[in-house]
Amino acid sequence: QVTLMESGGGSVQSGDSLTLSCVASGNTPSIGYAAWFRQTPGNQREGIASFNTRTTTTVYADHVKGRFTISRDIAKNTFTLQMNSLKPEDSAMYYCATNPLVRMIDGFLLPKSYSYWGQGTQVTVSS
């Protein structure tokens, strides 16, 4: 069992930066992949970035490549999403998620690939 808690959301201006954190507790050594998703009302949850804890390989959605960075602080059991050059269309509820998989071939940014979820943190970007 893994418990996830996100923080760091807020209201910012277009072009600003924001850092989201996801603290993991419980059976953290079992975490194989961690990912960040976002969701707006009436829309499906969208995968943003994925992190392989064993190889540190990352995968990003095309529309955030070069702007967002996912990373991990092992000592703090924390996964971070650094978001730069924010746009109004980045406004959403952001969630972190993990799974215990040793290896994934595909589905890195699909919600169904992840079994543990946090409660989310809201990001609002105004123009």
Side-chain angles (χ1 to χ4, degrees), residues 20-68:
L20 305 184
S21 295
C22 173
V23 178
S25 59
N27 190 11
T28 55
S30 70
I31 296 175
Y33 290 79
W36 284 93
F37 292 79
R38 67 187 184 189
Q39 188 173 23
T40 53
N43 293 307
Q44 293 185 344
R45 200 161 290 190
E46 171 192 29
I48 297 299
S50 175
F51 184 95
N52 181 328
T53 64
R54 291 169 176 80
T55 67
T56 71
T57 302
T58 56
V59 175
Y60 294 95
D62 286 343
H63 52 280
V64 303
K65 282 182 181 177
R67 297 192 299 126
F68 291 12

Side-chain angles (χ1 to χ4, degrees), residues 1 5 22 26-27 33 36 45 47 49 56 71-73 80 82 86 89 96-98 101 106 117 126:
Q1 182 81 17
M5 178 68 73
C22 173
N27 190 11
Y33 290 79
W36 284 93
R45 200 161 290 190
T56 71
S71 62
R72 175 186 62 172
D73 184 328
T80 298
Q82 175 66 41
L86 283 163
E89 51 263 43
C96 69
T98 66
L101 299 178
D106 56 17
W117 292 83
S126 55

Side-chain angles (χ1 to χ4, degrees), residues 13 21 90 107:
Q13 298 288 321
S21 295
D90 293 318

